[in-house]
């Protein structure tokens, strides 16, 4: 029950607080999610942690943080944990927290003091997030890319996928979209979104997201129905960098958001790479800056990327495949589901798991095409 309570609290926190809040992350590390959420929901005083806002400790920062806490408490009154988890599961979206089998180990580096910790990840798709990210590379770049940038991103991503390397990117127009489409055509890809996973943003990529979910995953920190805010994209970029051992910037202007992803990769001591472009192109000025001032590796093809990443030793030999065998707790939940339909409480009682855990596992089983929602609750897919 303790683990269920922690996961339930983390899911609720994603519905009231912005992703990666430094103060909230410090409270979670010090007091645990269940205690922090209980205080927020009750409108109680925040648990004590060192008070600092943007490097300015003191009364002014304290008042800023307390106003933030009061906003979260007001929003908490509208959050129904059971409804949030059940609605997400019905949409094929599961919630993954630290310690879960699907949790990517590389994200533990976001748990360091001063880092923007993630409270948990919403995941949609048939792939296993942890397995997909074991052998992966981030490919990012400008939205308003040139034909040169789109061609390089697509060719590089396709060749990486042929080598069983999973391409991770942000799902945006431009370089991201070119990388996702090419990687998906030859293998799997991971889309990191700044919104709820049922919100197709950008709308023009709705079909691509649905296709990717069949073999890869979509992942984000915002709950069902959440639309993105400008800040969310910058905070999202740290996940793109953290999930992979290396980041390639294909094309970027001097003010491109891709440079934000590059800065996170550098801070996390990931391999940073950039593709050179025409010296006359403003869309390659950011890449040239990375090569000149950030000691980024110069890459022009998949072979160059593999040469840069390989020495880290993080990429196992051969393709990584998601095991078809279910984890014991998943098998118990699946065994408690009937063909005619069974309510979630009955399934939880039959398999011996808590209701929250059962709902999360049902979401994962639904994403894998093994169960589906029905008027009676959940049933096996025929």
């Amino acid at each position: 029950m303790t683990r269920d309570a922690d996961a339930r609290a983390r899911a609720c926190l994603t519905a009231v607080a912005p992703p990666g809040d430094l103060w909230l992350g410090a409270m979670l590390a010090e007091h645990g999610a269940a205690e922090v959420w209980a205080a927020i929901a009750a409108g109680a005083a925040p648990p004590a942690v060192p008070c600092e806002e943007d490097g300015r400790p003191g009364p002014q920062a304290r008042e800023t943080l307390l106003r933030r806490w009061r906003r979260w408490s007001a929003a908490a009154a509208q959050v129904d944990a059971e409804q949030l988890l059940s609605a997400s599961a019905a949409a094929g979206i599961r919630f993954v927290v630290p310690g879960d089998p699907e949790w990517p180990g590389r994200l533990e580096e976001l748990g360091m003091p001063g880092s923007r910790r993630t409270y948990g990840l919403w995941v949609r798709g048939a792939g296993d997030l942890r397995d997909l990210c074991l052998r992966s590379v981030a490919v990012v770049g400008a939205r308003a890319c040139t034909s040169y940038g789109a061609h390089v991103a697509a060719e590089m991503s396709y060749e990486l996928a042929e080598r069983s390397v999973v391409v991770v990117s942000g799902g945006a127009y431009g370089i991201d979209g070119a990388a996702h489409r090419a990687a998906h055509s030859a293998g799997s890809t991971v889309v990191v979104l700044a919104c709820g996973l049922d919100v197709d943003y950008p709308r023009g990529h709705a079909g691509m997201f649905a296709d990717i979910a069949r073999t890869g995953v979509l992942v984000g920190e915002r709950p069902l129905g959440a639309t993105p805010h400008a800040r969310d994209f910058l905070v999202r970029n740290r996940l793109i960098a953290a999930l992979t051992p290396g980041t390639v910037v294909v094309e970027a202007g001097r003010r491109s958001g891709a440079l934000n992803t590059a800065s996170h990769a550098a801070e996390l001591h990931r391999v940073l790479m950039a593709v050179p472009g025409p010296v006359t192109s403003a869309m390659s000025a950011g890449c040239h800056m990375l090569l000149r001032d950030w000691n980024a590796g110069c890459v022009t093809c998949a072979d160059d990327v593999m040469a840069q990443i390989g020495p880290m030793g993080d990429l196992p030999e051969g393709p990584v495949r998601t095991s078809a065998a279910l984890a014991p707790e998943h098998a118990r939940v699946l065994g408690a589901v009937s063909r005619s339909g069974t309510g979630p409480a009955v399934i939880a009682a039959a398999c011996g798991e808590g209701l929250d855990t059962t709902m999360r596992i049902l979401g994962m089983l639904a994403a894998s095409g093994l169960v589906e929602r029905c008027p009676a609750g959940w049933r096996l897919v025929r």
Side-chain angles (χ1 to χ4, degrees):
M1 292 302 294
T2 300
R3 183 163 184 76
D4 281 350
D6 179 81
R8 183 188 183 97
R10 287 175 178 270
C12 291
L13 287 171
T14 69
V16 302
D21 186 89
L22 288 171
W23 186 43
L24 181 55
M27 281 190 281
L28 294 180
E30 183 72 20
H31 300 284
E35 180 180 338
V36 173
W37 173 250
I40 290 177
V49 293
C51 176
E52 184 169 324
E53 170 64 8
D54 298 328
R56 303 191 311 274
Q60 183 179 0
R62 178 69 179 175
E63 182 55 36
T64 299
L65 296 176
L66 288 177
R67 285 198 299 269
R68 187 182 304 175
W69 179 266
R70 288 192 287 268
R71 287 198 304 270
W72 296 344
S73 293
Q78 307 300 318
V79 177
D80 183 323
E82 184 174 348
Q83 194 278 333
L84 174 62
L85 289 169
S86 62
S88 299
I93 299 169
R94 56 196 182 271
F95 190 61
V96 181
V97 298
D100 282 349
E102 197 177 358
W103 184 260
R106 290 194 182 97
L107 292 186
E108 297 306 318
E109 294 186 45
L110 292 179
M112 301 297 290
S115 298
R116 295 192 179 277
R117 297 175 174 89
T118 177
Y119 323 137
L121 297 175
W122 296 98
V123 182
R124 167 188 162 200
D128 182 290
L129 178 61
R130 181 180 182 277
D131 283 353
L132 288 171
C133 291
L134 284 176
R135 185 179 174 88
S136 62
V137 171
V139 178
V140 298
R143 289 177 174 84
C145 66
T146 66
S147 57
Y148 162 81
H151 171 76
V152 172
E155 187 174 73
M156 181 180 291
S157 298
Y158 186 88
E159 292 176 354
L160 286 168
E162 283 190 315
R163 291 161 170 78
S164 300
V165 176
V166 173
V167 170
V168 178
S169 197
Y173 291 135
I175 297 298
D176 290 12
H180 284 308
R181 289 190 190 92
H184 178 64
S185 68
S188 296
T189 185
V190 172
V191 184
V192 185
L193 296 176
C195 54
L197 302 187
D198 61 327
V199 177
D200 293 319
Y201 189 91
R203 188 175 297 276
H205 280 173
M208 182 183 76
F209 293 155
D211 288 341
I212 287 172
R214 295 190 180 101
T215 58
V217 294
L218 285 71
V219 59
E221 298 178 276
R222 304 293 305 283
L224 200 72
T227 55
H229 304 288
R231 176 185 177 276
D232 295 334
F233 293 101
L234 296 178
V235 176
R236 178 274 311 269
N237 289 343
R238 83 196 194 288
L239 286 182
I240 298 176
L243 286 170
T244 66
T247 294
V248 180
V249 182
V250 176
E251 195 172 46
R254 287 189 175 275
R255 295 181 179 274
S256 172
L259 299 184
N260 177 255
T261 307
S263 69
H264 286 300
E267 290 170 1
L268 292 167
H269 305 291
R270 305 297 199 250
V271 177
L272 179 58
M273 297 157 277
V275 175
V279 295
T280 55
S281 173
M283 295 308 300
S284 289
C287 292
H288 296 157
M289 181 185 69
L290 294 177
L291 293 168
R292 183 184 64 247
D293 301 333
W294 292 42
N295 296 318
C298 180
V299 294
T300 61
C301 61
D303 286 338
D304 290 348
V305 175
M306 298 301 291
Q308 292 279 334
I309 295 292
M312 291 185 64
D314 287 341
L315 302 182
E317 293 295 329
V320 174
R321 304 187 185 278
T322 303
S323 173
L326 294 174
E329 61 272 21
H330 291 204
R332 287 194 296 271
V333 171
L334 184 62
V337 181
S338 67
R339 292 195 178 277
S340 59
T342 313
V346 175
I347 296 172
C351 68
E353 300 286 349
L355 181 59
D356 290 342
T357 297
T358 300
M359 292 302 299
R360 288 193 292 116
I361 292 175
L362 285 169
M364 297 179 70
L365 295 174
S368 299
L370 297 175
V371 301
E372 62 185 1
R373 286 297 293 260
C374 67
W378 292 85
R379 67 186 176 195
L380 297 173
V381 173
R382 296 183 182 278

